[in-house]
Amino acid sequence: MLGFGPHESASVHGVELDRLLWVTIVITGIVFVLTHIALFWFSYKYREREGHSAKFISHDNRLELIWTITPAVVMTLLVFSGLDVWNKIMPDIEDKSELVQLEVTGFQFGWILRYPGPDKEFGARNFRKISGSNPLGQDWTDTKNHDDMHVSKIVLPKGKQVRVKITARDVLHSFYLPHFRVKMDAVPGMPTYVIFTPQFTTEEYRQKLKDVPEYMIPADAENPDGPKKWEAFKYELACAELCGTGHYSMRREVVVVEQAEYDKWLKEQNSYYLQNIKKKEATPKHEEPSDDVSVNMEKMLSDGTGAIKLEHVHFKTGSAQLTEDSWPELNTLARTLMAHKGLKLEVSGHTDNQGNDTANKSLSQKRADAVVIYLKKSGIGQTILVPKGYGETLPVATNDTPEGRTLNRRTEVKIISESH
Ligand SMILES: [Cu+2]
């Protein structure tokens, strides 16, 4: 079945939806063309000319009936077949245990993705509990929360029904999976949902794109000006609501895999509670530094001094291009910054001592700039960020071992001034 738009539907229901759109376009298209031909033909044929005066009909009951009833019947048929499709897409499901469940929460500017964990139930949330280390406001006294997992991309098994619960934390967003023909508003305070079944794995979909012309292949998001490659195709989640200046940065990857691979991936995901909350409580102070940027950030702000290292921010070798694994930490940092007013922070880049001093200094400056640009795009409220490249001048470990050099290549954030 031909897709509506350049891409075939990656979900089961999308095929039906595409068909409906084609039927509507064909019917309304034919009517559009015929009525316009008639419009011009009639005004030409009955024009005033010698021996012929223009005809004037003020009223005709039969005509009125025909052009009221005909469109009404056609519209009713279209609407009812639409309703029929809608009811098929959104069935009432009593037993949710067979479903793949996922919760997405939109915020300015990103998505927080939550899977319910082995108990297959989401824990309770309360917006009053939202904090830097608890972005969803999960109630930790509800044990259903303890196995819930926060993930960085949506992974789904092929052929399984998926139910996505959709909410928003601030303004209206819209959960949009173009390839799956899924779009639903994310409304603060009013959860919505969609149900769909992926029918092709990412790999299968890539094979389909192999034979289509290059202009129909979406650009590589990391390298939009580069060549378009079917091998690099990724399903994506976008926000379809113009929700603010960082709107475009609400892109997330969606991966569809076979069931076995999905099960394996699911096993590798950690409970947010055990990983970020319980562990922290159990760790006495002044032990291992935490790697949760929001926790470290809050601590630095309450101390009013110090610097924190961004543990998960990395760059492609020799370049100032952030690697994809840096995004979650930077998103968390941006969320934390949004919650504070009047901060002035320095974002510093540091390198090891390999290579030339001037080049290191310029690279570290570019890297600090890249982090600041990313954070600004994600929304940082009124925070002022000053990027600074120190090159190799401030090592924190020896440059004589590879481990030491790894520690020296880092990005840090420190307070310059603070006014509450
Ligand atoms: Cu949005």
Side-chain angles (χ1 to χ4, degrees):
M1 177 81 200
L2 193 57
F4 195 81
H7 300 121
E8 191 173 339
S9 168
S11 70
V12 175
H13 79 261
V15 177
E16 185 97 331
L17 220 56
D18 286 352
R19 186 188 55 79
L20 196 67
L21 276 164
W22 273 119
V23 168
T24 310
I25 280 286
V26 168
I27 293 178
T28 52
I30 290 171
V31 173
F32 177 82
V33 172
L34 288 184
T35 47
H36 278 79
I37 291 173
L39 181 69
F40 285 96
W41 172 244
F42 275 70
S43 49
Y44 172 75
K45 182 160 192 245
Y46 297 103
R47 72 193 186 280
E48 183 176 10
R49 55 191 191 276
E50 217 160 302
H52 234 291
S53 63
K55 226 176 191 169
F56 180 69
I57 309 167
S58 68
H59 187 77
D60 186 324
N61 274 337
R62 201 173 56 122
L63 219 52
E64 291 284 343
L65 274 174
I66 292 172
W67 69 42
T68 308
I69 289 170
T70 316
V73 169
V74 176
M75 286 303 289
T76 312
L77 287 176
L78 285 177
V79 167
F80 274 99
S81 57
L83 268 180
D84 185 44
V85 172
W86 178 251
N87 290 334
K88 267 191 236 157
I89 295 173
M90 301 282 273
D92 281 325
I93 297 172
E94 296 282 310
D95 178 21
K96 295 206 180 91
S97 64
E98 280 305 297
L99 290 172
V100 174
Q101 292 203 72
L102 164 68
E103 180 197 71
V104 299
T105 304
F107 68 92
Q108 289 171 315
F109 295 100
W111 297 98
I112 304 165
L113 313 171
R114 175 162 77 139
Y115 280 73
D119 69 352
K120 297 193 170 175
E121 281 189 85
F122 292 112
R125 289 171 57 182
N126 179 343
F127 72 90
R128 289 192 177 82
K129 295 190 190 293
I130 292 177
S131 70
S133 58
N134 188 1
L136 291 176
Q138 281 163 281
D139 182 350
W140 302 127
T141 60
D142 179 2
T143 52
K144 282 183 201 147
N145 265 319
H146 293 184
D147 64 348
D148 289 4
M149 304 169 298
H150 294 200
V151 299
S152 58
K153 59 184 174 189
I154 298 182
V155 177
L156 299 169
K158 175 189 161 184
K160 266 282 190 70
Q161 212 166 26
V162 182
R163 186 182 194 276
V164 189
K165 182 181 167 200
I166 303 159
T167 68
R169 227 174 50 171
D170 35 43
V171 299
L172 277 180
H173 298 275
S174 180
F175 179 77
Y176 183 32
L177 304 175
H179 305 100
F180 298 89
R181 313 297 192 253
V182 163
K183 189 196 267 175
M184 180 60 79
D185 277 4
V187 189
M190 196 184 88
T192 49
Y193 73 95
V194 285
I195 295 171
F196 67 99
T197 309
Q199 63 171 349
F200 305 119
T201 64
T202 301
E203 203 39 60
E204 284 166 350
Y205 206 86
R206 283 178 183 161
Q207 295 300 327
K208 288 181 181 296
L209 290 177
K210 213 168 158 178
D211 306 322
V212 307
E214 196 192 58
Y215 73 89
M216 282 166 70
I217 300 176
D220 184 353
E222 272 90 65
N223 183 16
D225 301 322
K228 294 173 161 190
K229 294 197 194 104
W230 60 267
E231 302 99 309
F233 168 82
K234 288 171 181 167
Y235 289 128
E236 66 178 54
L237 157 64
C239 175
E241 198 79 55
L242 282 170
C243 56
T245 50
H247 161 69
Y248 59 89
S249 63
M250 290 183 72
R251 177 186 173 273
R252 282 295 185 92
E253 189 185 343
V254 179
V255 185
V256 178
V257 291
E258 297 291 348
Q259 183 74 39
E261 203 178 323
Y262 170 75
D263 293 337
K264 184 167 160 272
W265 173 83
L266 207 58
K267 274 208 194 85
E268 286 163 3
Q269 304 309 307
N270 294 314
S271 142
Y272 185 80
Y273 174 74
L274 295 179
Q275 202 68 13
N276 296 283
I277 308 296
K278 190 103 182 287
K279 203 171 88 185
K280 298 272 135 52
E281 285 169 359
T283 313
K285 269 189 184 154
H286 311 302
E287 244 193 31
E288 275 285 282
S290 156
D291 69 346
D292 181 340
V293 67
S294 65
V295 173
N296 292 342
M297 194 70 201
E298 295 292 348
K299 185 172 175 305
M300 177 172 83
L301 292 174
S302 72
D303 294 350
T305 174
I308 58 168
K309 180 182 167 191
L310 301 178
E311 301 280 350
H312 305 289
V313 167
H314 304 291
F315 299 87
K316 301 210 167 131
T317 309
S319 113
Q321 198 183 347
L322 284 160
T323 56
E324 211 169 306
D325 59 337
S326 314
W327 299 350
E329 183 172 47
L330 290 175
N331 292 341
T332 311
L333 178 60
R335 279 204 298 277
T336 315
L337 294 177
M338 286 291 277
H340 293 272
K341 285 204 171 74
L343 277 181
K344 192 172 177 190
L345 302 170
E346 178 188 274
V347 175
S348 57
H350 304 266
T351 63
D352 57 26
N353 74 343
Q354 306 295 98
N356 159 297
D357 291 12
T358 333
N360 279 343
K361 187 148 171 29
S362 124
L363 179 62
S364 64
Q365 181 67 49
K366 282 185 195 141
R367 288 182 166 178
D369 290 344
V371 169
V372 169
I373 289 168
Y374 184 96
L375 289 169
K376 280 187 178 163
K377 276 199 302 197
S378 313
I380 49 169
Q382 291 157 6
T383 311
I384 297 168
L385 296 177
V386 185
K388 191 147 184 193
Y390 288 96
E392 58 188 70
T393 57
L394 298 172
V396 287
T398 171
N399 272 312
D400 297 337
T401 63
E403 296 79 23
R405 287 195 291 271
T406 307
L407 286 172
N408 287 335
R409 292 191 298 269
R410 68 200 189 276
T411 309
E412 286 184 354
V413 175
K414 85 172 184 206
I415 301 182
I416 301 177
S417 71
E418 177 175 27
S419 62
H420 286 294

